[in-house]
Amino acid sequence: MLIRIRSRDGIERLQIDNPNTTIAQLKTLIESQLRVPINNQTLSTNQQLLLAKTPAEIAQFTDMSNPQTPIATLNITHGALIFLAYEGERTIAGPKIVPAGSFGRKMTMDDLIAKQMRIVRQESANCEVSFDRDAANGFQHYVNETLAFAVKRGGFMYGSVEDGKVEVDFIYEPPQQGTEESLLLLRDPDEERVVEAIALGLGMRKLGFIFTQTVGQGKRDYTLSNREVLQAVELQAEGEVKEWVTVVVKLEVNEEGGADVHFEAFQMSDLCVKLFKDGWFEGEIAEGDDPKCSKMNKDVVVGGKDTREVDNDFFLVVVKIFDHQGPLSSTFPVENRNTAITMRTLKNHLDRTKNLSFVKRISDFHLLLFIGRFLDVNSDVPALAGCVRAQATIPEGYQILIESMAASG
């Protein structure tokens, strides 16, 4: 186990192999590891020891004076703090001895930050979120009815934000591979450029990430796993949006014993994002790692103790969820699912909606994405999406082009 020794030089760590070590053995370890002679050591669990000025005052601290006392009887366990007083100078030998503080070596800014990085919960979120009912239902219906929550599925949420309220109006599902435990996004830069061009024309932007937890995960004792936290914070950091939202969709058992689809919304805390950007998260997750905890590559302070494993819940901030009826329909087949989308799909959609105005017939993000692959991403795509946003008459050239594409199917 590790215990911490606080002296005038700062805090140093001491490695102890036997928890039943006696005070005499502890002093021997201090002599060998910290280079303070045994006969020059005064130990105590009372921090007032470090304020004692004279030998007489130091001699009053006797709680650790009996050399035969096992340290376990003094409640000295892993991570405990012991105070050490000594006189004179000492020579620090070897690279493993790292005294810290104004009387030890010079501390770098990284050292200082590492010793002060305290993990605390963020009490309130930076936003609340409202879902377009059709977009939310289209996503949950697919993962429930088709995937049966057996593998993970994810997507990016797009919409608008005003005064801390995020309105999600469509969900883009990138190419991906999902298993029971992990979700690999096979992101296509060309396709995402079309998505961003559509969002630009609609006056919307990417505001979050939505993913499912599988039935198997429902038996685990965590809100988000370490893999999910790492993926969520990476995407939130990439998004550079203060109101970024992460939404989890899962099955929960209801009072009648049946299963209901449940949406939960979170933000990764501001501190979590900062830690990720500054490189504190351990990027590799081993098979035996506890999924309830995220691993740091440097010590952080949680609840007054140094650790490199942080309970994932420390990083989650709950976000309130509402719903609304957005400006887009969600009846065109969704991209990158098991069903191929062809010109025949476009023709069937236009035939099915021929009683509506043309702008209404194409007011669907997934349809715009399909069409957008054949248009100029810098001009035509945002222009067409702009017409949808304004519910304006579609220019004749675009209408003829779309209808001819459908007719070719």
Side-chain angles (χ1 to χ4, degrees), residues 2-24:
L2 280 176
I3 63 172
R4 297 172 295 163
I5 306 295
R6 176 72 179 269
S7 70
R8 70 193 190 195
D9 301 318
I11 296 179
E12 301 164 69
R13 290 173 174 79
L14 190 71
Q15 180 74 44
I16 297 177
D17 296 328
N18 181 5
N20 296 315
T21 295
T22 64
I23 290 175

mmCIF file of all heavy atoms in Angstrom, residues 2-24:
data_model
loop_
_atom_site.group_PDB
_atom_site.id
_atom_site.type_symbol
_atom_site.label_atom_id
_atom_site.label_comp_id
_atom_site.label_asym_id
_atom_site.label_seq_id
_atom_site.Cartn_x
_atom_site.Cartn_y
_atom_site.Cartn_z
ATOM 1 N N LEU A 2 0.268 2.371 -0.322
ATOM 2 C CA LEU A 2 0.957 3.660 -0.315
ATOM 3 C C LEU A 2 0.438 4.495 0.835
ATOM 4 O O LEU A 2 -0.774 4.571 1.069
ATOM 5 C CB LEU A 2 0.729 4.410 -1.626
ATOM 6 C CG LEU A 2 1.571 4.002 -2.833
ATOM 7 C CD1 LEU A 2 1.114 4.789 -4.052
ATOM 8 C CD2 LEU A 2 3.049 4.253 -2.588
ATOM 9 N N ILE A 3 1.348 5.100 1.595
ATOM 10 C CA ILE A 3 0.935 6.121 2.552
ATOM 11 C C ILE A 3 1.692 7.391 2.227
ATOM 12 O O ILE A 3 2.746 7.359 1.573
ATOM 13 C CB ILE A 3 1.181 5.690 4.020
ATOM 14 C CG1 ILE A 3 2.667 5.493 4.289
ATOM 15 C CG2 ILE A 3 0.386 4.452 4.366
ATOM 16 C CD1 ILE A 3 2.955 5.258 5.759
ATOM 17 N N ARG A 4 1.172 8.513 2.693
ATOM 18 C CA ARG A 4 1.785 9.807 2.402
ATOM 19 C C ARG A 4 2.464 10.348 3.665
ATOM 20 O O ARG A 4 1.894 10.306 4.748
ATOM 21 C CB ARG A 4 0.734 10.785 1.898
ATOM 22 C CG ARG A 4 0.090 10.346 0.566
ATOM 23 C CD ARG A 4 -1.089 11.215 0.182
ATOM 24 N NE ARG A 4 -2.181 11.071 1.146
ATOM 25 C CZ ARG A 4 -3.194 11.928 1.261
ATOM 26 N NH1 ARG A 4 -3.240 12.987 0.494
ATOM 27 N NH2 ARG A 4 -4.156 11.723 2.142
ATOM 28 N N ILE A 5 3.689 10.835 3.483
ATOM 29 C CA ILE A 5 4.464 11.401 4.583
ATOM 30 C C ILE A 5 4.559 12.907 4.365
ATOM 31 O O ILE A 5 5.102 13.359 3.350
ATOM 32 C CB ILE A 5 5.879 10.791 4.649
ATOM 33 C CG1 ILE A 5 5.811 9.252 4.712
ATOM 34 C CG2 ILE A 5 6.644 11.352 5.846
ATOM 35 C CD1 ILE A 5 5.165 8.715 5.961
ATOM 36 N N ARG A 6 4.035 13.670 5.320
ATOM 37 C CA ARG A 6 4.079 15.137 5.222
ATOM 38 C C ARG A 6 5.151 15.660 6.173
ATOM 39 O O ARG A 6 5.133 15.409 7.373
ATOM 40 C CB ARG A 6 2.717 15.732 5.602
ATOM 41 C CG ARG A 6 2.681 17.263 5.631
ATOM 42 C CD ARG A 6 2.728 17.824 4.227
ATOM 43 N NE ARG A 6 2.680 19.274 4.232
ATOM 44 C CZ ARG A 6 1.548 20.001 4.164
ATOM 45 N NH1 ARG A 6 0.391 19.380 4.114
ATOM 46 N NH2 ARG A 6 1.588 21.313 4.160
ATOM 47 N N SER A 7 6.134 16.371 5.619
ATOM 48 C CA SER A 7 7.190 16.988 6.415
ATOM 49 C C SER A 7 7.325 18.436 5.975
ATOM 50 O O SER A 7 6.527 18.941 5.182
ATOM 51 C CB SER A 7 8.507 16.231 6.224
ATOM 52 O OG SER A 7 9.003 16.454 4.910
ATOM 53 N N ARG A 8 8.357 19.079 6.457
ATOM 54 C CA ARG A 8 8.586 20.471 6.042
ATOM 55 C C ARG A 8 8.890 20.570 4.553
ATOM 56 O O ARG A 8 8.813 21.634 3.954
ATOM 57 C CB ARG A 8 9.760 21.050 6.847
ATOM 58 C CG ARG A 8 11.102 20.461 6.484
ATOM 59 C CD ARG A 8 12.164 20.820 7.481
ATOM 60 N NE ARG A 8 13.495 20.454 6.994
ATOM 61 C CZ ARG A 8 14.567 20.380 7.756
ATOM 62 N NH1 ARG A 8 14.460 20.626 9.057
ATOM 63 N NH2 ARG A 8 15.732 20.056 7.243
ATOM 64 N N ASP A 9 9.240 19.422 3.932
ATOM 65 C CA ASP A 9 9.561 19.407 2.504
ATOM 66 C C ASP A 9 8.337 19.219 1.616
ATOM 67 O O ASP A 9 8.447 19.210 0.400
ATOM 68 C CB ASP A 9 10.552 18.276 2.201
ATOM 69 C CG ASP A 9 11.836 18.433 2.991
ATOM 70 O OD1 ASP A 9 12.324 19.562 3.092
ATOM 71 O OD2 ASP A 9 12.326 17.418 3.520
ATOM 72 N N GLY A 10 7.173 18.999 2.222
ATOM 73 C CA GLY A 10 5.968 18.734 1.444
ATOM 74 C C GLY A 10 5.496 17.296 1.652
ATOM 75 O O GLY A 10 5.844 16.656 2.645
ATOM 76 N N ILE A 11 4.717 16.801 0.720
ATOM 77 C CA ILE A 11 4.170 15.448 0.821
ATOM 78 C C ILE A 11 4.953 14.507 -0.090
ATOM 79 O O ILE A 11 5.172 14.798 -1.265
ATOM 80 C CB ILE A 11 2.677 15.421 0.441
ATOM 81 C CG1 ILE A 11 1.858 16.244 1.440
ATOM 82 C CG2 ILE A 11 2.153 13.982 0.405
ATOM 83 C CD1 ILE A 11 0.389 16.300 1.137
ATOM 84 N N GLU A 12 5.361 13.358 0.480
ATOM 85 C CA GLU A 12 6.054 12.323 -0.282
ATOM 86 C C GLU A 12 5.326 11.004 -0.065
ATOM 87 O O GLU A 12 4.676 10.793 0.962
ATOM 88 C CB GLU A 12 7.508 12.223 0.165
ATOM 89 C CG GLU A 12 8.259 13.548 -0.028
ATOM 90 C CD GLU A 12 9.564 13.591 0.751
ATOM 91 O OE1 GLU A 12 10.484 12.838 0.377
ATOM 92 O OE2 GLU A 12 9.660 14.355 1.735
ATOM 93 N N ARG A 13 5.454 10.111 -1.037
ATOM 94 C CA ARG A 13 4.772 8.823 -0.954
ATOM 95 C C ARG A 13 5.736 7.734 -0.515
ATOM 96 O O ARG A 13 6.897 7.721 -0.944
ATOM 97 C CB ARG A 13 4.141 8.473 -2.300
ATOM 98 C CG ARG A 13 2.945 9.360 -2.628
ATOM 99 C CD ARG A 13 2.455 9.100 -4.055
ATOM 100 N NE ARG A 13 1.234 9.833 -4.334
ATOM 101 C CZ ARG A 13 1.192 11.130 -4.634
ATOM 102 N NH1 ARG A 13 2.317 11.821 -4.715
ATOM 103 N NH2 ARG A 13 0.043 11.732 -4.867
ATOM 104 N N LEU A 14 5.232 6.824 0.300
ATOM 105 C CA LEU A 14 6.038 5.740 0.840
ATOM 106 C C LEU A 14 5.365 4.413 0.506
ATOM 107 O O LEU A 14 4.180 4.215 0.790
ATOM 108 C CB LEU A 14 6.171 5.899 2.359
ATOM 109 C CG LEU A 14 7.185 4.993 3.067
ATOM 110 C CD1 LEU A 14 8.606 5.439 2.723
ATOM 111 C CD2 LEU A 14 6.987 5.057 4.580
ATOM 112 N N GLN A 15 6.112 3.513 -0.130
ATOM 113 C CA GLN A 15 5.592 2.203 -0.507
ATOM 114 C C GLN A 15 5.767 1.230 0.651
ATOM 115 O O GLN A 15 6.861 1.050 1.171
ATOM 116 C CB GLN A 15 6.341 1.672 -1.736
ATOM 117 C CG GLN A 15 5.882 0.308 -2.208
ATOM 118 C CD GLN A 15 4.540 0.360 -2.905
ATOM 119 O OE1 GLN A 15 4.305 1.245 -3.720
ATOM 120 N NE2 GLN A 15 3.666 -0.566 -2.592
ATOM 121 N N ILE A 16 4.646 0.603 1.078
ATOM 122 C CA ILE A 16 4.681 -0.379 2.160
ATOM 123 C C ILE A 16 4.074 -1.682 1.648
ATOM 124 O O ILE A 16 2.945 -1.694 1.152
ATOM 125 C CB ILE A 16 3.900 0.120 3.395
ATOM 126 C CG1 ILE A 16 4.567 1.382 3.958
ATOM 127 C CG2 ILE A 16 3.819 -0.955 4.461
ATOM 128 C CD1 ILE A 16 3.833 1.979 5.137
ATOM 129 N N ASP A 17 4.836 -2.779 1.767
ATOM 130 C CA ASP A 17 4.365 -4.063 1.247
ATOM 131 C C ASP A 17 3.510 -4.821 2.245
ATOM 132 O O ASP A 17 2.680 -5.644 1.855
ATOM 133 C CB ASP A 17 5.562 -4.926 0.836
ATOM 134 C CG ASP A 17 6.338 -4.304 -0.318
ATOM 135 O OD1 ASP A 17 5.687 -3.640 -1.156
ATOM 136 O OD2 ASP A 17 7.560 -4.460 -0.368
ATOM 137 N N ASN A 18 3.690 -4.559 3.550
ATOM 138 C CA ASN A 18 2.987 -5.319 4.587
ATOM 139 C C ASN A 18 2.105 -4.389 5.407
ATOM 140 O O ASN A 18 2.618 -3.505 6.116
ATOM 141 C CB ASN A 18 3.998 -6.023 5.492
ATOM 142 C CG ASN A 18 3.316 -6.859 6.572
ATOM 143 O OD1 ASN A 18 2.100 -6.994 6.588
ATOM 144 N ND2 ASN A 18 4.120 -7.397 7.478
ATOM 145 N N PRO A 19 0.772 -4.564 5.359
ATOM 146 C CA PRO A 19 -0.117 -3.679 6.129
ATOM 147 C C PRO A 19 0.053 -3.829 7.640
ATOM 148 O O PRO A 19 -0.414 -2.990 8.402
ATOM 149 C CB PRO A 19 -1.516 -4.099 5.681
ATOM 150 C CG PRO A 19 -1.346 -5.485 5.152
ATOM 151 C CD PRO A 19 0.018 -5.557 4.581
ATOM 152 N N ASN A 20 0.714 -4.906 8.098
ATOM 153 C CA ASN A 20 0.949 -5.114 9.530
ATOM 154 C C ASN A 20 2.293 -4.563 9.984
ATOM 155 O O ASN A 20 2.810 -4.933 11.042
ATOM 156 C CB ASN A 20 0.865 -6.610 9.859
ATOM 157 C CG ASN A 20 -0.536 -7.163 9.612
ATOM 158 O OD1 ASN A 20 -1.528 -6.543 9.996
ATOM 159 N ND2 ASN A 20 -0.614 -8.323 8.972
ATOM 160 N N THR A 21 2.881 -3.712 9.178
ATOM 161 C CA THR A 21 4.168 -3.087 9.511
ATOM 162 C C THR A 21 4.088 -2.394 10.875
ATOM 163 O O THR A 21 3.090 -1.753 11.207
ATOM 164 C CB THR A 21 4.533 -2.061 8.420
ATOM 165 O OG1 THR A 21 4.750 -2.765 7.199
ATOM 166 C CG2 THR A 21 5.779 -1.277 8.787
ATOM 167 N N THR A 22 5.175 -2.520 11.647
ATOM 168 C CA THR A 22 5.244 -1.810 12.931
ATOM 169 C C THR A 22 5.840 -0.429 12.721
ATOM 170 O O THR A 22 6.380 -0.116 11.651
ATOM 171 C CB THR A 22 6.122 -2.589 13.925
ATOM 172 O OG1 THR A 22 7.467 -2.629 13.418
ATOM 173 C CG2 THR A 22 5.605 -4.008 14.119
ATOM 174 N N ILE A 23 5.767 0.389 13.758
ATOM 175 C CA ILE A 23 6.337 1.736 13.670
ATOM 176 C C ILE A 23 7.836 1.663 13.466
ATOM 177 O O ILE A 23 8.410 2.460 12.702
ATOM 178 C CB ILE A 23 5.967 2.544 14.934
ATOM 179 C CG1 ILE A 23 4.464 2.864 14.919
ATOM 180 C CG2 ILE A 23 6.783 3.833 15.025
ATOM 181 C CD1 ILE A 23 3.942 3.548 16.154
ATOM 182 N N ALA A 24 8.504 0.689 14.110
ATOM 183 C CA ALA A 24 9.953 0.529 13.911
ATOM 184 C C ALA A 24 10.269 0.212 12.458
ATOM 185 O O ALA A 24 11.205 0.782 11.867
ATOM 186 C CB ALA A 24 10.486 -0.583 14.824
#
